Amino acid sequence: MTDALPATDAEAAVELERLALLIGEADRAYHERDAPELSDAEYDALRRRNDAIEMAFPHLVRPDSPSARVGAAASSGFGKLRHGVPMLSLDNAFGPEDFSEFAERARRFLGDVSLSFVGEPKIDGLSISLTYENGALRHAATRGDGSEGEDVTANIRTIAGIPHSLPTPCPARIEIRGEVFITKADFLALNAAQEAAGQKIFANPRNAAAGSLRQLDPAITAARPLRLFAYAMGEASEAVASTHWGYLERLRAWGFSVNDRSTQLADVAAALAFQDQMAADRAALAYDIDGVVYKIDDLDLQSRLGFVGRAPRWAIAWKFPAERATTTLQAILIQVGRTGALTPVAALAAVNVGGVLVTRATLHNEDEIARKDIRVGDTVVLQRAGDVIPQIVEVLAHQEGAAPFMPLTHCPVCGSAAVRPQGEVVRRCTGGLICAAQAEERLIHLASRGAFDIEGLGEKTVREFFTEDLLKTPADIFRLRDHEAAIAAREGWGALSARNLLQAIETRRAISLERFIFGLGIRRIGEANAKLLARHYTSFANWRTQMLDAVQIGSEARSDLGAILRIGPAIATELAEFFAEPRNVETMDALAAQLTIADAAAP
């Protein structure tokens, strides 16, 4: 990704589509699967790039623009609750200049008033909103997409330290917001217990907190060492304070845990000093933080400032720079993704980086490995940016005799040729649906919310069923009813769980054309492009016929496909390559035979 902005509308539209897909997938990985794939720094860079292009080309802002959404949709595994006041995101600062500009913007908007702040450690956990009615805890919801979250009320009630009722006086209705988290010590103990039991190991405390709270069985949540810091207010039937600091004091009086490092700050200079102090103290804290949130203290000024886009004008998150450590690169592993992308991953000698034990790091792609001359056995500098996926930023020394990395010419999973398309940095397996790695990932994608949205058939279940040969192709999902007894007999399932899953699958036998197209997992075909294709071709039969004809370069069908607004030749090529492989068509037809695919309305 270059710093220069696109030169034309066409280039800008292509990049905005790419960014929408990348950011959307990152949001789903972080919020829905509790398995982040990008560091905070990488994610923030994508967001800033998207905002810059939208500012330069405002007429090309997409309906699904990342700038208009927060988080990701609520999981289908839980009921849904709407927030009385949206749970929005925060703009970021990365240095003193950014913070000073934030304060200056607020002063210009308000008319040169004196500003004081409250600084609060930015806890790396899961945002939650607790609704109290007449003093009693009624509902609890995750942030979700900002407007609607997952109903986790039963799970929240199991967490010690969260009041089930508020002492009087209190508003008739109030949303109290905070962050559910796990301390570093509890995280290490939890992972040790998980490993001893042969269960999933969590990547970091944030993942552990999110995964523990988002359990369908509240008993599992109750057994996890979850805590909550309260720090914000949503909807309220009456005012409870005139300042944010006064609100935090009220929360303490009601029995909530408020972070004891939260501090009133008289001015910008005090905020800058507080940031330096928190950066120095960060490693010694009992919990992970990735920055400090600063809020203008006066609630009347907050109200006057309001919001712009998805963020308030009266608050900002000042992120810490990445933490670093030195370790040894033990191996370069190759992971194969849903679209066949071969992604190199560094296997490292375990090292503690800011309180997290790190054994893996992203290597991005083969060009990045060559640029840094990364070799097995190297002593490397590891950077953990945003407490998500670490990366190697520097090689300090090569092991004697270490050979340069040689890109694979064949897929490590299925043995098919691995090729690097011209102009791309990613090498891809050509095996398609015959590649077990791609087949498994495509099944996960097909069952996901944006595609077939099959409740109960999440990533973990798909992987287990795939390993046990219950699922191998998309059509196998709709043949699972033949295995009801085997599913019911699995550990932790039972007859009711098996029946519920099969009923959820049956409800998806009738599917819209756009969801069907998106569910196939064809590269570059996100939800927006699937909708465009469905509306253009209207029926599955017509789309299938036209795509098979479009395999031929220069055909009328290929020209028609490439002429669809926002599709273009690159996406047309991806579709043609998918339909040029007979096994892909055979697999797609087998799935379609299980379904009733509804026609789309013509544009």
Side-chain angles (χ1 to χ4, degrees), residues 264-335:
Q264 282 184 295
L265 304 162
D267 51 27
V268 169
L272 300 184
F274 184 70
Q275 184 75 13
D276 289 341
Q277 185 63 55
M278 290 306 305
D281 295 347
R282 177 186 186 187
L285 295 176
Y287 41 80
D288 271 347
I289 64 172
D290 56 6
V292 178
V293 173
Y294 294 93
K295 301 172 185 176
I296 291 175
D297 195 20
D298 189 307
L299 295 184
D300 179 60
L301 296 183
Q302 286 190 14
S303 179
R304 287 170 56 190
L305 284 164
F307 297 81
V308 57
R310 64 188 185 97
R313 289 189 179 93
W314 44 264
I316 197 164
W318 186 346
K319 297 288 192 71
F320 290 133
E323 296 181 284
R324 295 186 172 189
T326 300
T327 188
T328 302
L329 174 63
Q330 297 179 325
I332 295 178
L333 310 176
I334 303 297
Q335 296 178 343

Side-chain angles (χ1 to χ4, degrees), residues 101-139:
E101 175 58 25
F102 153 73
E104 184 58 32
R105 284 197 306 269
R107 272 195 293 267
R108 288 196 299 266
F109 188 95
L110 294 168
D112 198 28
V113 300
S114 177
L115 297 179
S116 61
F117 308 90
V118 174
E120 303 168 352
K122 186 175 180 295
I123 303 298
D124 199 18
L126 182 71
S127 298
I128 201 77
S129 182
L130 312 173
T131 300
Y132 290 82
E133 295 177 352
N134 298 318
L137 176 60
R138 296 300 184 196
H139 305 294

Side-chain angles (χ1 to χ4, degrees), residues 434-572:
I434 68 166
C435 177
Q438 294 184 64
E440 185 176 8
E441 295 298 329
R442 290 188 190 218
L443 287 170
I444 292 168
H445 170 76
L446 185 140
S448 68
R449 182 175 179 83
F452 279 53
D453 190 19
I454 300 175
E455 185 172 348
L457 194 60
E459 178 180 352
K460 179 181 177 183
T461 300
V462 170
R463 293 196 188 285
E464 290 175 354
F465 283 13
F466 190 87
T467 301
E468 297 165 13
D469 291 332
L470 292 172
L471 284 181
K472 287 299 180 184
T473 71
D476 288 341
I477 292 175
F478 295 91
R479 301 182 185 119
L480 283 175
R481 60 186 177 185
D482 298 333
H483 304 284
E484 181 172 359
I487 295 171
R490 299 178 77 255
E491 183 178 355
W493 279 72
L496 179 60
S497 296
R499 191 178 313 118
N500 288 341
L501 172 61
L502 296 176
Q503 287 174 351
I505 291 171
E506 289 302 309
T507 64
R508 294 298 182 260
R509 284 191 183 273
I511 197 81
S512 68
L513 178 57
E514 65 187 64
R515 281 183 176 267
F516 178 85
I517 294 173
F518 177 61
L520 293 175
I522 302 171
R523 186 174 176 235
R524 299 184 192 270
I525 306 301
E527 294 179 64
N529 282 337
K531 185 176 293 185
L532 288 174
L533 292 167
R535 289 179 177 176
H536 185 80
Y537 294 104
T538 69
S539 72
F540 169 67
N542 184 44
W543 178 65
R544 180 185 184 280
T545 298
Q546 294 300 316
M547 293 305 96
L548 288 171
D549 289 346
V551 169
Q552 297 300 319
I553 297 175
S555 66
E556 183 178 345
R558 182 68 163 264
S559 298
D560 178 56
L561 173 61
I564 300 173
L565 181 64
R566 294 185 179 173
I567 293 297
I571 297 173

Side-chain angles (χ1 to χ4, degrees), residues 174-229:
I174 185 171
E175 290 178 333
I176 294 172
R177 292 169 176 177
E179 201 84 358
V180 174
F181 69 100
I182 289 179
T183 67
K184 297 174 184 176
D186 285 341
F187 166 71
L188 294 175
L190 174 61
N191 259 359
Q194 292 286 103
E195 186 173 18
Q199 297 176 345
K200 172 185 174 182
I201 300 299
F202 295 103
N204 53 53
R206 189 270 168 195
N207 283 28
S212 297
L213 183 62
R214 299 170 75 248
Q215 292 286 331
L216 296 178
D217 182 357
I220 297 177
T221 302
R224 302 280 172 81
L226 298 176
R227 309 182 189 210
L228 176 123
F229 279 138

Side-chain angles (χ1 to χ4, degrees), residues 417-434:
V419 300
R420 180 174 171 177
Q422 185 174 3
E424 296 191 15
V425 298
V426 175
R427 190 171 294 271
R428 297 183 183 278
C429 166
T430 60
L433 294 177
I434 68 166

Side-chain angles (χ1 to χ4, degrees), residues 356-412:
V356 172
L357 196 65
V358 174
T359 59
R360 293 285 189 273
T362 179
L363 292 172
H364 299 291
N365 55 63
E366 59 193 57
D367 284 355
E368 187 72 1
I369 295 175
R371 184 180 70 82
K372 296 176 180 175
D373 193 16
I374 298 173
R375 308 183 185 190
V376 174
D378 283 353
T379 300
V380 297
V381 176
L382 186 69
Q383 175 173 287
R384 179 168 162 255
D387 301 327
V388 185
I389 299 178
Q391 57 185 322
I392 291 173
V393 294
E394 183 182 359
V395 174
L396 295 180
H398 292 312
Q399 185 181 58
E400 186 177 353
F405 171 75
M406 298 298 295
L408 297 186
T409 58
H410 290 80
C411 173

